[in-house]
Structure formats: structure tokens, C-alpha cells
Amino acid sequence: QVQLVESGGGTVQVGDSLTLSCVASGRTFKNMARGWFRQAPGKEREFVAAISGAGASSDYADSAKGRFTISRDNAINTMYLRMTNLKPEDTAVYYCAASSTLVRLTRDQFDSWGQGTQVTVSS
């Protein structure tokens, strides 16, 4: 089983930038697909971005396109989400996810989840 730990959340102002990190440990499935999701208060968890096992392909929700960048460094089992031009509607708990079976890009085939990191964007 892989353990995922997110970090980098915090409270920022509208228009600020923030970079989230997700470190994997345990049975890391180093080159498997990974993704970021978020859940705002009173809402369901939603897809934000995903990246393929080698990092060559990525996918974004419409809300993230042009503002967020997903990346990974397999040498240190870490995935990142660089968020720029943050808006109040980006306020949520952000979760990283990993697949134990897929290398290719996916939006929903994840079976390991982190505990989440809070991002709050104040206006």
C-alpha cells in the first residue's frame, strides 16, 4: 500500500500563487499515474489535474487550465501542483491520488489517497 502526504496548503490572497506537494512512501508504484482532486465545503470532491506515470502527459479540469500546472519527480516520489492567479472559488481541501495499476493518464482510476491539505483564498 502506498502512503501519500500532501503539503504546501495555506491561506493566500486572490491572485497569489501556491505550490502543493505530494510525497509517496511505502509501496510507491513509482511510475504510475497520479492526480490532484479538491473538495470545497458542501460540495463533492472534484478532479483538478492528472499526470501520467512518466510525466509526459497531463490533463486538467476546465477550472484549472491556464492557471495550474501538475508535475512530478519520480526520483523523489513527489508530485506537485503549481497554482497561480488563485481565486476564492479555489478554496478547498486538496487531495493527491495515485493509481496502483495504470501508467497512462486517467481521471478516475485512483485507489490511494492522501489526507488532504487546506487551501484558502481570501478576497
Side-chain angles (χ1 to χ4, degrees), residues 11-30:
T11 300
V12 296
Q13 301 293 314
V14 170
D16 283 352
S17 300
L18 204 58
T19 298
L20 306 182
S21 300
C22 174
V23 178
S25 61
R27 195 176 178 189
T28 59
F29 301 108
K30 185 172 292 189

Side-chain angles (χ1 to χ4, degrees), residues 9 18 27 31-32 51 60-61 68-71 78 82 84 86 91 94 110 112 117 121:
L18 204 58
R27 195 176 178 189
N31 293 326
M32 295 302 185
I51 190 166
Y60 297 91
F68 294 3
T69 303
I70 189 171
S71 62
T78 302
R82 174 68 173 169
T84 64
L86 284 162
T91 295
Y94 284 71
F110 299 106
S112 294
T117 186
V121 184

Side-chain angles (χ1 to χ4, degrees), residues 58-78:
S58 58
D59 183 24
Y60 297 91
D62 288 344
S63 60
K65 287 178 181 176
R67 299 189 300 125
F68 294 3
T69 303
I70 189 171
S71 62
R72 65 191 295 167
D73 185 343
N74 286 344
I76 56 172
N77 297 327
T78 302

Side-chain angles (χ1 to χ4, degrees), residues 82-106:
R82 174 68 173 169
M83 304 184 292
T84 64
N85 191 22
L86 284 162
K87 304 175 181 180
E89 52 264 42
D90 295 317
T91 295
V93 177
Y94 284 71
Y95 299 90
C96 68
S99 171
S100 63
T101 58
L102 291 179
V103 175
R104 64 170 174 80
L105 205 58
T106 180

